Amino acid sequence: MATVVTLPLTLSAAPSGHSAPSKGKISSPVKLPVYPAGPSYISAAKRHLLQRSFAEDDEELALEREAAAAKAREEANGEPYPGLGEEVEHKDLLASDPKEWKKQDHYAILGLGHLRYMANDEQIRIAHRRKVLRHHPDKKAGANGGASSGTTNDDAFFKCISKAFDTLTSNERRRQFDSVDWNIEDEVPDPKRVPADKFCETFAPVFAREARFSKVQPVPGFGGSDATKKEVEGFYDFWYNFDSWRSFEWHDKEVNEGSDSRDDKRFTEKKNKSERQRRKKEDNTRLREMVDSVLASDPRIKRIKADEKAARDAKKRGGVSGSATPNGPAKPMSAAEKKAAEEKRKKDEAEKAEAEKKSNEASKADREAAKKAKEAARKNLKKWKKSISTVIAASNYFQPEGKAPAASTVEKQLAELDALVELLEPEEVKDLKEKVEAAGSGEPAKQALKDNVAALGDKASGKFVEFA
């Protein structure tokens, strides 16, 4: 049974000058946004969007859990992609120099040479892990009793593996490598020498190979020999308007080692940019010539034209023989009627040709005027850019008054100005120059540059720091 114990405690008197604290006022309420979140909300949103009941939702969740469990059991029983990254490397591949990484086949180093651009992220990750387990320098040294194998430079090849993994797991770097992958067969058969019955079978894989560079996916297939006119025309329309992401930065030359000169860097970048544009232009020309040659020899085009000609001839024969009457066969046209019909046809063709000629002359004049205006604007481009850079320099490169700008700041701002001018049309550069000069020097001028960069949207993403 519990007992109560009273302790003899006495509170000391309050110190002199002590006063009870005053009661503060309760602060006024503040409205804060509350965002719906959590698994319960997500489940409710899914049911609402997919129009599912609780029972149907429970069934879907059960199926998802079962699939995840099956995948886990499969991975536990055996590793996915057996043999991937475990093949025996050739001695030349093992002797790769990590300093020459731009000349190496990164897919072959990871054992993905048979997949190349079709390898997915999981295959790259698994192949890298298996390569690391086999070629780690510490493991090699342990297997040889602490001594180097003496036949290959294990440390160098391990660096090549790391570089290949870094390249293929970066979307940008992988695209650059895929753009110039020299191990992919890119020969195109001569369309004139391909038999008609083998034409589609021969060129379907050629266009499928080129389709990997398309920004628009999926890409229309080449189709078979029985493809309709709409399918064939849609295929060639797509390739004549082909939008390629292929780039050639992989061939860029590096700035001379040890050089800190801003002029050297800008000169090298200018040369690289010019070379990239030249290669891009050559690739576009190559692709256009390939499409032209295939189109000119495509037996399906000849079949479609023959069918259309046969239809026109049938229609023409029907018109010449006269119009059918409800009471009997068509009545033959008289000589005068034939002559009148022929004169009407010639007159219509002459009027149509005259209208096309006038339209072409007008469009040609418009194109010439637009071309001259663009050339004039391009000539003034250098002058407008210099005016903007003069305002930037007069603003002490937007540094506080009395503080000398660092060389890196000057270099960044001039480089970003070059990038901005490249992204804008000549007329837009002129407008920017007028805005900057109207704003004067200092922060207003910098704000004008920032506003212009912000207006570019995604085109300027990740390219600007000083003017972002």
Side-chain angles (χ1 to χ4, degrees):
M1 183 176 178
T3 57
V4 178
V5 179
T6 303
L7 300 176
L9 296 177
T10 304
L11 295 176
S12 59
S16 59
H18 173 74
S19 61
S22 61
K23 296 180 181 179
K25 294 183 179 179
I26 299 174
S27 60
S28 58
V30 178
K31 289 186 178 180
L32 296 175
V34 178
Y35 297 100
S40 299
Y41 172 75
I42 293 173
S43 298
K46 285 172 65 177
R47 286 193 298 273
H48 175 71
L49 293 174
L50 301 176
Q51 298 294 308
R52 292 199 307 224
S53 64
F54 281 92
E56 291 171 338
D57 195 49
D58 290 340
E59 289 178 5
E60 289 293 330
L61 289 175
L63 291 174
E64 290 176 6
R65 293 193 188 102
E66 185 178 347
K71 184 178 179 181
R73 286 194 301 271
E74 181 182 344
E75 292 180 354
N77 294 333
E79 290 191 4
Y81 308 112
L84 189 69
E86 296 177 348
E87 73 288 342
V88 178
E89 298 87 354
H90 192 273
K91 61 180 181 180
D92 293 338
L93 188 66
L94 291 171
S96 300
D97 184 357
K99 294 180 181 178
E100 299 291 333
W101 59 273
K102 276 199 171 185
K103 299 179 181 179
Q104 293 165 9
D105 185 351
H106 296 296
Y107 286 113
I109 287 175
L110 291 183
L112 300 169
H114 60 295
L115 296 173
R116 311 205 73 79
Y117 65 90
M118 293 184 290
N120 58 41
D121 293 340
E122 185 181 10
Q123 289 170 329
I124 294 172
R125 178 179 56 80
I126 291 173
H128 171 256
R129 184 178 71 246
R130 292 174 182 172
K131 287 285 184 179
V132 167
L133 291 174
R134 289 176 56 208
H135 292 282
H136 196 284
D138 293 344
K139 187 172 182 179
K140 289 281 186 179
N144 290 279
S148 175
S149 60
T151 57
T152 59
N153 187 348
D154 299 320
D155 187 40
F157 188 65
F158 184 75
K159 291 179 181 177
C160 292
I161 293 173
S162 300
K163 187 64 181 179
F165 181 70
D166 292 341
T167 300
L168 299 183
T169 51
S170 167
N171 290 334
E172 181 180 1
R173 299 295 291 170
R174 185 179 181 184
R175 279 196 167 191
Q176 292 175 6
F177 179 71
D178 286 342
S179 296
V180 299
D181 192 348
W182 54 90
N183 289 288
I184 294 180
E185 182 67 33
D186 59 355
E187 291 296 324
V188 179
D190 186 355
K192 296 179 181 178
R193 298 184 178 182
V194 178
D197 58 336
K198 299 286 185 182
F199 198 86
C200 297
E201 179 185 339
T202 301
F203 286 100
V206 172
F207 281 93
R209 182 184 67 213
E210 295 291 338
R212 71 187 192 274
F213 298 123
S214 176
K215 290 182 180 178
V216 180
Q217 295 291 342
V219 176
F222 191 79
S225 57
D226 58 346
T228 64
K229 178 184 178 181
K230 183 178 180 181
E231 291 172 342
V232 175
E233 288 181 346
F235 173 81
Y236 284 108
D237 284 344
F238 178 87
W239 284 95
Y240 274 117
N241 296 282
F242 189 73
D243 190 6
S244 172
W245 54 256
R246 192 176 190 182
S247 60
F248 297 91
E249 289 92 341
W250 195 263
H251 294 303
D252 283 359
K253 297 186 181 299
E254 303 293 337
V255 181
N256 293 332
E257 191 173 348
S259 174
D260 293 329
S261 172
R262 184 180 69 210
D263 292 336
D264 285 350
K265 292 179 181 178
R266 297 178 72 178
F267 175 74
T268 303
E269 176 57 31
K270 186 176 180 180
K271 283 191 66 178
N272 286 337
K273 182 179 178 182
S274 175
E275 187 66 14
R276 290 196 297 268
Q277 290 175 343
R278 182 187 67 80
R279 292 177 187 272
K280 183 72 173 179
K281 185 177 180 180
E282 288 180 354
D283 185 63
N284 290 338
T285 302
R286 174 194 66 83
L287 185 62
R288 175 56 66 91
E289 290 176 351
M290 182 188 79
V291 178
D292 286 341
S293 62
V294 174
L295 174 63
S297 302
D298 195 334
R300 299 174 300 175
I301 299 294
K302 298 175 183 176
R303 170 178 59 80
I304 292 169
K305 288 183 177 179
D307 293 344
E308 291 178 344
K309 185 176 184 299
R312 287 196 302 270
D313 291 343
K315 185 177 180 181
K316 186 176 180 181
R317 285 194 298 271
V320 170
S321 61
S323 56
T325 63
N327 299 324
K331 182 181 178 181
M333 294 177 68
S334 65
E337 289 174 338
K338 289 182 180 179
K339 183 177 180 181
E342 183 66 20
E343 288 178 353
K344 184 177 184 304
R345 184 183 64 80
K346 289 182 178 179
K347 182 180 178 182
D348 291 341
E349 289 180 353
E351 290 176 353
K352 184 178 179 182
E354 184 66 22
E356 288 181 354
K357 183 179 178 182
K358 290 181 179 179
S359 176
N360 291 336
E361 289 176 353
S363 61
K364 184 178 179 181
D366 292 340
R367 288 196 300 270
E368 289 295 330
K371 185 178 179 182
K372 288 180 180 179
K374 189 171 285 188
E375 287 177 355
R378 194 173 286 111
K379 288 179 182 178
N380 292 320
L381 192 62
K382 189 175 181 181
K383 182 174 67 175
W384 295 335
K385 185 171 74 171
K386 187 176 180 181
S387 299
I388 298 173
S389 62
T390 302
V391 174
I392 295 175
S395 303
N396 195 30
Y397 296 92
F398 308 116
Q399 300 301 308
E401 188 176 353
K403 179 183 177 182
S408 59
T409 302
V410 175
E411 182 179 349
K412 283 181 182 178
Q413 293 190 10
L414 293 179
E416 290 187 10
L417 176 60
D418 290 342
L420 180 57
V421 171
E422 290 295 334
L423 292 172
L424 297 175
E425 293 294 331
E427 288 300 323
E428 293 175 329
V429 176
K430 181 182 178 182
D431 293 341
L432 175 61
K433 173 245 183 189
E434 292 173 354
K435 289 179 182 178
V436 170
E437 288 182 341
S441 60
E443 282 302 317
K446 186 175 183 180
Q447 188 59 44
L449 291 166
K450 286 184 175 181
D451 293 343
N452 216 278
V453 170
L456 291 172
D458 293 339
K459 290 170 63 177
S461 178
K463 297 181 180 180
F464 296 91
V465 176
E466 294 289 327
F467 300 144

